[in-house]
Amino acid sequence: MRTIYFCLILSLLFVRCSPHEEAPEPSPNQSLHFVDDVNAHFYKSFSQDFRKTKNDLKKAVEISSLNQWPDKEALTQKNYAVVLYMLGEYEQALMAIQRSFDLYDSLQDESGQVRALNEMGNFLRKQGQNEDAIKAWKKAETLSKAIDDQEALGTTYGMMGTFYWLQKDYEKSDHYYFKCYQIRMEQKDSIGLGYVLIDLADMAHRKGDLTSALNYFKESNSIREAIGDLQGIVDNYKMMGDLFMKEESPAKAIPYYHQCATESENLGYPDLVRKSFDSLSSAYAQLNQFEIAYQYQKEADQLEDSLFNADRAKKLAELQTQYETEKKEKQIAVQQAEIANHLAKNQRNLAVIGCLIIALVFLLIIAHLIKSRSDKKHALLLQQAQTRTKEAQLEAALNSQETERKRFARDLHDGFGQMISVLNLNLKALEKGTSSKEDVFENSSKVLDDMYKELKGICFNLMPETLIKSGVVDAIREFATRVNHTGKVFVEVDTFGITERLQDLQEISIYRITQEWINNVLKYSDADK
C-alpha cells in the first residue's frame, strides 16, 4: 500500500514539474483507422490534392512501419509510389514501389506482387528503362495467370498497350488493348472499361473508322454515367470534340465542346471550362464566324486570368501564413527560454526523486530476499513434516498388515489346525478298528461342520461377503450380530448420513477400523454393551 502511495506522489510530482502539456499520442486503433482511411480514399483524395495526399501517405507509411504492419505498409507504399510518380519524383517513386514489392514478397501475397510490378513497369518506362519495364510487366503477366488474377492481368495489358502506343508500334499496342478490353468485359469492370474504351476509340480513329471511334466514346460515357464518374464524362466530351476537329469537321465538334463547358462548370472544373472555350473559339474561327470566336476567346482569357488571380491569392495566403508562422516561432523561442529554466529546476527535482526511487528499489529487493528465504525455510519444514507423516502412515500400514497376518495364522493354527488333528484321529481309529464306522462317520461329520463354520468365520474376518455386496453398513451390522451371538456383550449399530455406497477403499477402511475398535473393547475393557 505504501508503494502505491509513493507512486501516486511521484506521478503528481512529474505532472507539476512538466513545463507544458503535450498532445496525447494516438492509440493503436486510431493509427490503424488512419492508415486504412488513407488507403481506402486514395484515388479520390489524390485527384483533388496531390500534396496533401502525399503527406498523408508518408505519415501512413511511417505508422505502418513503426507498428510492424507489413500488409498495411505494402499497400501504403504502393499508393505512395503512385503519388510520387504523378508529382514527377520518379526515383523516390521507384524506391517506394520496390519496397512495396519486397513486403508483398515476404508476405507471399502474389496478388499484391502483381500490382506492385505493374506500377514498377510504369515508373521504369518513365525513366527510359524500357527493357526493365517490359521485364516487370512480363513477370506480372506470368504471375497473374498463375494465380488467375484477371483484374491485375487486365491492368498489365493496358500498361503494355500504352507503352507500345508511345513507341508508335500500333500493331502491338492494339493487340494488348484488345486483350485488356476482353478481360474488362469478362470481369464486368466498369472503371477499367471506361479507360480502355478511350484507347480503342483512339485506335479506331487512327485506322480511319470514325464511326467505331464515336461508338467507343459513347460506350465509355454510358459506363461512366452508370458509376457516377462525372469528371470522366466531361473529359470524354472534350476528346470527342477534338476528334471531329482532327476530321476537320468543326461544326460537329462544337456541340461536344458546348456540352463539356456546361457540365464542367456545373462540376466546378474551371480549367476544363477554359479549355472548352478555347476549343470553341478555334472551331468557330474555322467556320469564319470570327465574332463568336472572339467572344469565346475573350471568355477563355478572362477565365484564365481569374484562375491566375485565384492562384495568386493562394500564394499571398501562403506568404501570410509564413509570416504568421515566423511570428509564432519568435514567441516560441521566448517560451522555450523560460521552459529551459523550468527544466533545469525540474531536473534537480528529478535527481532527488531518482535517488529516492533507487533507495526504495533496494529496500524492496532486500525485503523480497528476506521473504524468499523465510518461504524456503517454511517450505522445507513443511516438507519434513509431510515426510514424517508419510513414514508414520507407512509404518502403521505395515504393522496393521503384520497384525492381520498373525491373527490369520493364529486362527488357522488354534481353530482350523486342531479340527484337522481331531479328524485325523477319527480316521486312524477307523483304521485300527477301535471304533465303529458309524461313530467315526458321525464324529467326522461334526468335525467337518465345525471346520466349515471356522473357515467361514476366517473368511468373514478377512473380507465379509456382505461388505462387497451390500456395503459397509450391512457388513458392520452382520459383524455386530456375530458378536452378540457370543452372549458376552451386546453391540448396537446406529448409522446416519450414508445414503449411497462409498468407494471400495473407503468402505473397507471404515469396516476394518470399526472391527479393530470393537476387538480392542472386548479385549481390554469390561463393557457389556
Side-chain angles (χ1 to χ4, degrees), residues 139 183 196 209 254 258 363 444 451 455 486:
K139 187 175 180 180
I183 290 174
V196 73
D209 189 352
I254 285 173
H258 273 299
L363 288 174
S444 297
M451 288 176 66
L455 182 61
T486 63

Side-chain angles (χ1 to χ4, degrees), residues 304-409:
E304 185 173 13
D305 289 341
S306 67
L307 290 172
F308 172 76
N309 290 333
D311 185 58
R312 184 172 60 183
K314 182 179 178 181
K315 290 181 179 178
L316 288 173
E318 290 176 352
L319 289 173
Q320 180 68 22
T321 302
Q322 291 175 356
Y323 168 73
E324 295 292 339
T325 302
E326 184 179 1
K327 184 178 178 181
K328 289 181 180 178
E329 286 177 350
K330 290 180 179 178
Q331 293 175 350
I332 291 170
V334 175
Q335 291 176 352
Q336 286 178 341
E338 295 176 355
I339 290 169
N341 293 329
H342 287 298
L343 286 175
K345 294 179 181 178
N346 292 341
Q347 286 176 353
R348 288 194 295 271
N349 293 335
L350 289 175
V352 174
I353 292 170
C355 292
L356 292 174
I357 291 174
I358 292 172
L360 178 62
V361 170
F362 275 116
L363 288 174
L364 291 174
I365 291 173
I366 293 170
H368 175 72
L369 291 174
I370 293 172
K371 186 177 182 303
S372 177
R373 183 177 296 177
S374 176
D375 290 344
K376 289 180 179 178
K377 184 177 180 181
H378 178 71
L380 180 60
L381 292 174
L382 182 61
Q383 184 178 4
Q384 290 174 350
Q386 290 175 346
T387 302
R388 287 194 295 270
T389 301
K390 289 180 180 179
E391 290 174 352
Q393 290 173 346
L394 181 60
E395 183 178 356
L398 292 174
N399 290 335
S400 177
Q401 290 176 5
E402 186 63 27
T403 301
E404 191 67 18
R405 288 192 187 97
K406 289 178 180 179
R407 186 178 62 79
F408 182 57

Side-chain angles (χ1 to χ4, degrees), residues 32-50 52-54 56-57 60 75-76 78-80 82-83:
L32 181 62
H33 176 73
F34 173 77
V35 173
D36 288 340
D37 188 64
V38 168
N39 286 316
H41 301 93
F42 163 66
Y43 287 102
K44 180 179 180 181
S45 62
F46 95 79
S47 62
Q48 296 175 355
D49 191 338
F50 282 165
K52 181 179 182 304
T53 306
K54 174 189 173 183
D56 288 344
L57 285 166
L75 176 59
T76 310
K78 181 182 79 67
N79 293 336
Y80 185 45
V82 172
V83 173

Side-chain angles (χ1 to χ4, degrees), residues 456 459-460 463-471 475 478:
K456 189 176 180 181
C459 291
F460 177 81
M463 182 60 66
E465 188 175 358
T466 307
L467 178 62
I468 298 172
K469 292 182 178 180
S470 303
E478 183 181 12

